[in-house]
Amino acid sequence: MNDVPPSTPWWQSGKIVVFGIALVLAVGSYFYSKTVPPTWLHDFGAEIALHAAADPNPITPEDSRQATPRGQTDNPLICATRVIPQPWDRIVFVTHEQGKTLSQHATLGQAQWLDNTLGSIQSQLAADDRYQLVVLMNGNVVRDAQIFFTFWADLSGLAQPEGYGPETAIFTAASVQGRYVVSTAPNATLANCPK
């Protein structure tokens, strides 16, 4: 007679452990992908850091991570058309204070929100003064709206109800007390933008 070992039940074979690990990885990657900012927002933040004028009186670093040198660019202009490739014809910046009444905002309150997120974004902005909003529009339609944190940069100098078209969405930044502060570049044109 053949000595055939008894088969192991499926719950003791390790298949459930492998399935559990796969499930945890799938759920984790889904929630992680929801917290990663889109590429255009990341690139906009990187442009602010690259083109910001250095602080003339920087605060003393507390450790070596804060003292890392950063590259400088010859051109101080941050041109939104250069870093935001998706189609848009208006970019609107909203501060925490303006966000409390986002539904009454002169431009965004009248806009068509594709995914009906106006209410949830308004409550997010009202809940935390570290939140700012960057909205990309095409016509009267909101194409993308993303929270931009004040610790990335202070965008309050850009908050005007009508927003900026591609030809006027040209900004400058300065590092002030360890924080980037972004403002408009009123006399700049697209011809002045870095290539």
Side-chain angles (χ1 to χ4, degrees):
M1 286 209 217
N2 289 339
D3 290 331
V4 177
S7 64
T8 306
W10 67 271
W11 62 86
Q12 293 178 348
S13 68
K15 291 178 183 176
I16 194 137
V17 172
V18 172
F19 176 75
I21 291 171
L23 182 64
V24 166
L25 289 174
V27 169
S29 66
Y30 171 78
F31 285 111
Y32 175 74
S33 68
K34 295 293 183 189
T35 63
V36 175
T39 303
W40 71 264
L41 192 67
H42 179 270
D43 291 347
F44 182 67
E47 283 290 298
I48 291 170
L50 178 65
H51 295 277
D55 191 341
N57 302 307
I59 56 175
T60 306
E62 295 174 7
D63 65 31
S64 63
R65 292 174 294 175
Q66 296 172 328
T68 55
R70 62 184 182 89
Q72 291 290 320
T73 180
D74 294 335
N75 192 325
L77 298 177
I78 303 159
C79 302
T81 57
R82 186 172 166 266
V83 295
I84 304 174
Q86 64 192 59
W88 60 277
D89 62 10
R90 186 180 315 182
I91 186 169
V92 181
F93 301 92
V94 180
T95 64
H96 161 73
E97 286 302 316
Q98 294 170 318
K100 291 179 181 177
T101 57
L102 192 57
S103 56
Q104 298 170 357
H105 189 275
T107 301
L108 300 176
Q110 308 303 315
Q112 178 186 0
W113 293 70
L114 294 178
D115 50 5
N116 297 320
T117 58
L118 176 65
S120 66
I121 289 177
Q122 180 171 300
S123 62
Q124 257 186 304
L125 282 171
D128 196 328
D129 62 358
R130 296 172 297 176
Y131 292 168
Q132 304 165 104
L133 184 64
V134 181
V135 180
L136 297 178
M137 297 181 67
N138 209 358
N140 195 38
V141 178
V142 173
R143 293 294 176 194
D144 200 357
Q146 296 291 327
I147 296 293
F148 194 93
F149 301 101
T150 55
F151 58 81
W152 290 342
D154 179 359
L155 304 178
S156 60
L158 306 180
Q160 61 183 24
E162 64 275 8
Y164 302 87
E167 65 286 341
T168 59
I170 303 171
F171 315 112
T172 60
S175 180
V176 180
Q177 295 294 307
R179 185 175 175 189
Y180 297 123
V181 178
V182 185
S183 56
T184 59
N187 298 322
T189 65
L190 288 176
N192 303 122
C193 288
K195 306 245 184 288

